[in-house]
Amino acid sequence: MEKYSNVVGDMLKRSGHKYNDQGEMYFEDSVYLTEWKFTEEYFHTEINYLYRRKEMITMPWTITDDPNINWNEFGFIQKFHDPKAKEVLSPYHRNKHLEIYYVVKGIQEIRVEDEMVSLDEKDLILLNQQCHHSDVLSPNNMDIRIIGINLDYIETSLYPFISNQEIKSFITRMLEAKNVDSEYWIVRNTDLIDLFEKLSNEMRVKDDFYEDAIRLYLLRILQKLIPTEKKIKPFHGRKGIIFHEVDQYMRYNYEGVSLDDLSSYLKFSKDYFNRLIKEITGMTYTEYLQLIRMEKACELLENTDLTIRDIAYDVGYVNLAHFYDIFKEMYELTPHEYRLTIRN
């Protein structure tokens, strides 16, 4: 296992992908295509660039348990801070480029801003440079392709030739505005596998005139994007990254978290967290914690046979009547009525 720890540490440090102190990911090229192929035992990563040499590594999932690797050093955390979880979250970040995820096989989860997006086979998500997001990497049979395109390359080599007016408008907003909102598209059930395979081959082999071929395949992919869902959300900059940490901590410790705990964990004042949560969610700290607890209570009501008293206690309420009052105010049903409605 030690040989893998040395390899992964070296790869992450030498990769063409970098993170700056503003929580932005950038890469030292014009275009990249990443391929993730996961099985229950191994994960394989291959990154091909327009000009740089490719990066490739195959490792067993047991590496997530390797004490020789400090994943936090590279910004990776195990899902919900659970050291027993196999899933790992990539660093919560935004890009300095356009990014496209495409699912060839399996199901991929991506946290985008405050939403967990689930992509099935042939689904795609398009992210502008303001979208904070984090990838959920798990030992399931998956084949994921990710394209990154720098804005300078888009402006000079792609933008003038795009005829799809919706995608052209999306890119126009990226190129013209300094502080655009976070915007992303979800495109469901679009058959782009053949184009992605041809693009992969050109980026690997780099035969004569490969740059022209890559540009044409990128244009063909962009031309085919017709959004199923469009999401536009206010951009919160560095505050968005801090809020993500707050949200993750509260969701993992919902049964007993306090503002004092947050202040101790993230080294900001309690007043700062109150203002931050209010600015981003529109709720007070207490209201947001209640929402998290009620969401967990709903999950337990749907998926377990625990008594309502046990569920109330598990999500942080000793007073059962108080739990009932909050639940009914939020969902206009008692917990018992909610369980019956969902199960029927």
Side-chain angles (χ1 to χ4, degrees), residues 246-257:
V246 170
D247 180 70
Q248 290 290 290
Y249 187 82
M250 289 177 70
R251 288 182 184 278
Y252 184 60
N253 299 285
Y254 57 85
E255 71 279 5
V257 67

Side-chain angles (χ1 to χ4, degrees), residues 27-227:
F27 65 101
E28 299 167 341
D29 209 299
S30 298
V31 180
Y32 70 80
L33 175 61
T34 297
E35 297 186 23
W36 287 340
K37 294 186 178 179
F38 301 160
T39 69
E40 293 180 359
E41 295 181 355
Y42 290 90
F43 64 88
H44 172 80
T45 300
E46 179 178 330
I47 309 174
N48 286 283
Y49 298 91
L50 188 59
Y51 301 113
R52 285 175 62 96
R53 292 177 59 185
K54 76 176 179 182
E55 300 166 9
M56 184 169 63
I57 191 168
T58 302
M59 292 180 296
W61 278 103
T62 50
I63 196 164
T64 59
D65 302 321
D66 187 350
N68 295 307
I69 300 178
N70 178 10
W71 290 99
N72 287 331
E73 178 185 351
F74 308 110
F76 289 82
I77 60 171
Q78 287 179 305
K79 194 174 182 183
F80 307 128
H81 303 273
D82 183 352
K84 296 180 181 178
K86 281 295 182 187
E87 295 101 333
V88 293
L89 291 171
S90 70
Y92 189 64
H93 64 283
R94 64 188 179 99
N95 301 317
K96 298 187 76 172
H97 52 271
L98 177 73
E99 194 162 63
I100 301 169
Y101 284 73
Y102 184 65
V103 180
V104 176
K105 182 175 73 173
I107 298 174
Q108 169 68 5
E109 285 192 329
I110 305 172
R111 182 184 174 92
V112 186
E113 301 296 349
D114 57 353
E115 179 182 10
M116 188 64 81
V117 177
S118 182
L119 301 176
D120 295 322
E121 289 185 12
K122 297 185 180 180
D123 287 351
L124 175 149
I125 189 167
L126 176 75
L127 306 168
N128 79 352
Q129 78 273 37
Q130 304 292 55
C131 282
H132 284 105
H133 60 284
S134 177
D135 314 302
V136 181
L137 312 179
S138 60
N140 299 311
N141 290 316
M142 294 193 298
D143 184 345
I144 313 296
R145 311 295 167 91
I146 306 170
I147 297 173
I149 315 174
N150 266 335
L151 299 189
D152 288 344
Y153 182 87
I154 292 175
E155 187 169 16
T156 58
S157 301
L158 300 177
Y159 184 78
F161 309 100
I162 295 173
S163 58
N164 177 333
Q165 290 305 308
E166 280 197 283
I167 190 65
K168 193 154 193 170
S169 296
F170 181 98
I171 293 173
T172 299
R173 290 189 289 275
M174 288 186 67
L175 297 176
E176 291 185 351
K178 291 183 178 179
N179 291 308
V180 296
D181 290 330
S182 168
E183 182 175 1
Y184 56 100
W185 287 4
I186 299 171
V187 183
R188 300 288 185 189
N189 195 28
T190 180
D191 192 353
L192 298 172
I193 294 174
D194 184 56
L195 284 174
F196 271 86
E197 291 295 344
K198 290 176 178 177
L199 179 63
S200 295
N201 184 64
E202 291 293 342
M203 295 193 74
R204 282 195 191 100
V205 178
K206 293 183 171 59
D207 277 338
D208 293 342
F209 309 110
Y210 79 94
E211 293 170 83
D212 292 331
I214 287 171
R215 185 173 67 85
L216 290 173
Y217 286 133
L218 290 172
L219 278 170
R220 288 179 65 186
I221 289 170
L222 291 172
Q223 298 281 38
K224 287 179 174 289
L225 299 186
I226 307 297

Side-chain angles (χ1 to χ4, degrees), residues 16-34:
H17 286 60
K18 310 289 184 184
Y19 294 93
N20 64 24
D21 59 5
Q22 299 300 309
E24 296 173 316
M25 191 190 87
Y26 61 97
F27 65 101
E28 299 167 341
D29 209 299
S30 298
V31 180
Y32 70 80
L33 175 61
T34 297

